[in-house]
Amino acid sequence: MIQLKNVSFLYNHQTRMALQNINLTIPQGEVIVLCGKSSCGKTTLTKLLNGLIPHYIDGQLKEAIFLDNQDLQFLKIYEIAKLTGLSFKILKRNFITVTQIVSLFLQSKTLGYQIEEILSRKAKIVEQFGLYPLLQKNLFHLSGGEKQRIACASVAIHEPPVIILDEPSANLDQEATAQLSEMIVRWKAQGKTIIISEHRLHYLKMLADRFVLLEEGTIKYIFSQQEMLNMSNEALYQLGLRAIHLEELMPQQTCPLKTNSHFKVDALMYTHHDFQLCIEKLDLPFPAIFAITGHNGAGKSTFAKSLTGINKKASPTLHINNVSFKKKQCLKISSIVMQDVHHQLFTESVLTEILLSMPKPNKDRALELLSLLDAIQFKNAHPMSLSGGEKQRIAILSAIAADTQLVIMDEPTSGLDYHHMKQVAYCVNMLRNQHKQVFIITHDPELISLCCDGTFELAQGTIKNIMIFNK
């Protein structure tokens, strides 16, 4: 059993409490979902339960957290590691192969496992998570969704009684999300306590026992599974939550978009480790917003980097309104928001970041853009001091500020709540109205329903199933 009694926490160098007077009891074997708007305290709570706060993250912690009647503040970090496992939002990239990742916890001397036990557990977890195709691969060659699966496997391998997952479905395709759901069912059957911090709730609606809604560091509501199922999508939106009834979102019919302009791609080829990207011809309406879907590792991010000319060995030729663009020109007319936006933030303030992206810096326009995604309060902050979702929003605004003809966003809503996801959809629709072509690599059906004109699927490096929606 986990008990939090009047728990409050304030990060050093911050003035607003991250958590305030949290009272929560989680019985053994229960599946709890922490939900709420960005910066409501979900991730802070997971770090408290894992012992990272206060052992590694400084701040002012009041009152106590008990796990099986033991106060976590007085346990050694290696003692907590035997009791809980935490999967972070972002997989750290300090490993070379998948095998090293899934063996991490078992190789720790503090856990005291013998080599036979290490090999046995590793084989078991590789089978459960379907990791055979990924073994021995370089981590840098994997997609974001594949890395996410490895992060979950690394938590499960040492079989802790408490499993904590921070946005585990981020970047996962439908198949991988289904595997994650099956794993949660298996853990629950084993009597494990599972705590999940998540924005995307649809896959958890039949798995979770309770949904804990946080708001500004406090618990606002606790809903049972049945209470959540009885809520409409609109009622969930009013609470700042994502939809759980996905069947109500997607358009069912298709028809051609009424436009005489086209976006065309000629013979885009690129060899990428395990597969070859091979786009013989792509002809789409212009301007339009298309979602690029497909399984993790299907080549979606590779397609984006090749199309914009970032991949050095790819030689794209684009045609927009009968005007042709070769590789060097593609770099100039394109903007891309990558999955890992840490590679795209360079300056010492958010405002400077937006100004840097503009062809002609305009402070008034930059401030106007920041207001679109509730980011104006960060204008003087260092980009790297922001949360993951906040960085994501800054990268999106930088791409919009660049004012290019082609904009590609790779999983732009992976760390965003409903409110900010809807704002991103508004910005994307704005780009279409400005006569831009937009591609969104996404597994997010809510985003697709709000702003996309159609979808096409990538499978093994080739395009399949182009669909245009009848809205």
Side-chain angles (χ1 to χ4, degrees), residues 3 55 134 153 197 206 230 279 325 349 354 377 396 414 443 461:
Q3 290 180 298
H55 291 282
L134 307 183
S197 169
M206 302 303 296
N230 290 340
I279 310 299
F325 301 91
S349 77
I354 303 301
Q377 69 267 34
I396 291 168
S414 60
H443 300 294

Side-chain angles (χ1 to χ4, degrees), residues 296-316:
N296 296 134
K300 301 184 298 295
S301 297
T302 301
F303 171 79
K305 293 176 184 177
S306 299
L307 190 64
T308 55
I310 293 176
N311 281 337
K312 294 181 179 180
K313 294 182 180 179
S315 298

Side-chain angles (χ1 to χ4, degrees), residues 223 228 230-242:
F223 299 111
M228 285 293 285
N230 290 340
M231 285 192 205
S232 65
N233 286 342
E234 285 298 326
L236 292 167
Y237 295 156
Q238 292 298 317
L239 295 171
L241 301 178
R242 295 288 201 101

Side-chain angles (χ1 to χ4, degrees), residues 205-211 223-229:
K205 64 183 180 182
M206 302 303 296
L207 302 178
D209 297 297
R210 290 187 293 165
F211 294 79
F223 299 111
S224 68
Q225 181 188 88
Q226 193 58 52
E227 287 173 328
M228 285 293 285
L229 289 172

Side-chain angles (χ1 to χ4, degrees), residues 377-426:
Q377 69 267 34
F378 309 132
K379 65 179 181 180
N380 296 321
H382 196 292
M384 301 311 294
S385 71
L386 304 180
S387 70
E390 290 162 353
K391 291 174 186 172
Q392 191 86 10
R393 283 144 58 192
I394 301 309
I396 291 168
L397 291 173
S398 295
I400 294 172
D403 194 26
T404 54
Q405 287 182 270
L406 171 63
V407 180
I408 300 181
M409 300 183 183
D410 196 347
E411 295 287 358
T413 59
S414 60
L416 300 187
D417 57 26
Y418 171 74
H419 174 67
H420 291 113
M421 181 270 295
K422 193 171 181 180
Q423 286 184 327
V424 169
Y426 172 82

Side-chain angles (χ1 to χ4, degrees), residues 128-130 149 168-169 171-186 202-204 207 295-296:
Q128 289 175 344
F129 278 86
R149 285 163 56 194
S169 72
N171 304 326
L172 294 187
D173 60 30
Q174 290 184 350
E175 181 180 348
T177 301
Q179 289 176 335
L180 174 63
S181 300
E182 292 170 4
M183 199 68 239
I184 293 171
V185 170
R186 189 177 292 115
H202 56 87
Y203 75 98
L204 296 168
L207 302 178
H295 293 308
N296 296 134

